[in-house]
Amino acid sequence: MEVSITGRHIEVTTALREYASKKLEHIGLGFTRIQNAHFILEVDKFRRMAELILHCGNHITIEAREVSEDLYASLDRVVD
């Protein structure tokens, strides 16, 4: 599965890339037809937003979005 990460108003560090990729490792077990995953991470003044878009086989797209005060918490929630 190909994973891409886009940052808005934030520089995507290696630690963030590794954390996001690691969170997606277990999701591939239940959804074997996932072709690629795209994270969009955004930082505003008091909120941290994580959005996840999964492109699966048969033209299925799954989207999730979470907002919290901590970017890592948003990543955890969006994958869940």
Side-chain angles (χ1 to χ4, degrees), residues 10-40:
I10 184 174
E11 181 180 339
V12 180
T13 62
T14 305
L16 276 173
R17 274 186 205 284
E18 290 174 359
Y19 189 79
S21 297
K22 188 174 183 180
K23 293 301 276 182
L24 283 179
E25 286 178 358
H26 75 279
I27 209 169
L29 300 175
F31 298 100
T32 56
R33 300 182 62 122
I34 296 176
Q35 297 171 347
N36 63 18
H38 184 207
F39 278 102
I40 301 171

Side-chain angles (χ1 to χ4, degrees), residues 40-58:
I40 301 171
L41 307 176
E42 183 175 347
V43 175
D44 284 336
K45 193 170 185 178
F46 295 108
R47 66 182 189 146
R48 311 297 185 253
M49 191 264 302
E51 186 174 351
L52 175 61
I53 303 168
L54 298 174
H55 296 283
C56 305
N58 296 336

